[in-house]
Amino acid sequence: MDNQYNLKFIAKFKYPRPEDAQREFIITFYLNDDSVMVYEPYQRNSGINGGKFLEKGKYKNALNNNAYFQPGDFLIGHDVIINGF
C-alpha cells in the first residue's frame, strides 16, 4: 500500500521579515492522495508557537498554472508557493 509513503522537506521563507528569519517548516507531500501539509517545529524561546502551519489538503501550485501539486513540484533548492506563502 502506498499510503505509508510521503515526501518531507525542510523549508524557509525566501524573503522573510526579520522576525521570521529563523523559522523553519516541514513540508509533507502525501503520495497516496497528493495532499500537502506544512508543520512548524517548536523552537524553544523563539516566541513563536510551532505546530500545524497549513492544514493537510490539496493545494494548487501557483508556479505551475494553478495545477494541483504533484511529487515533481517539490525539488531540493527550488521555490514553492503554497496557499500564498
Side-chain angles (χ1 to χ4, degrees):
M1 295 177 77
D2 67 339
N3 65 352
Q4 62 187 347
Y5 297 108
N6 52 46
L7 305 174
K8 288 190 177 193
F9 301 90
I10 296 174
K12 289 185 162 202
F13 288 123
K14 186 172 183 179
Y15 302 110
R17 296 181 301 214
E19 61 270 18
D20 294 332
Q22 299 301 317
R23 293 176 76 179
E24 286 190 346
F25 302 90
I26 306 294
I27 299 174
T28 305
F29 182 83
Y30 296 89
L31 294 170
N32 64 324
D33 61 0
D34 293 340
S35 62
V36 177
M37 183 178 78
V38 182
Y39 177 82
E40 184 173 10
Y42 290 97
Q43 293 183 15
R44 190 170 182 212
N45 295 326
S46 69
I48 297 173
N49 291 332
K52 194 183 310 180
F53 185 79
L54 188 64
E55 186 83 29
K56 181 180 175 186
K58 290 189 79 166
Y59 294 96
K60 294 185 178 182
N61 184 353
L63 301 176
N64 189 16
N65 297 323
N66 281 328
Y68 286 106
F69 278 104
Q70 297 293 315
D73 295 328
F74 297 94
L75 300 172
I76 296 172
H78 288 137
D79 297 336
V80 292
I81 299 174
I82 303 173
N83 207 28
F85 292 100

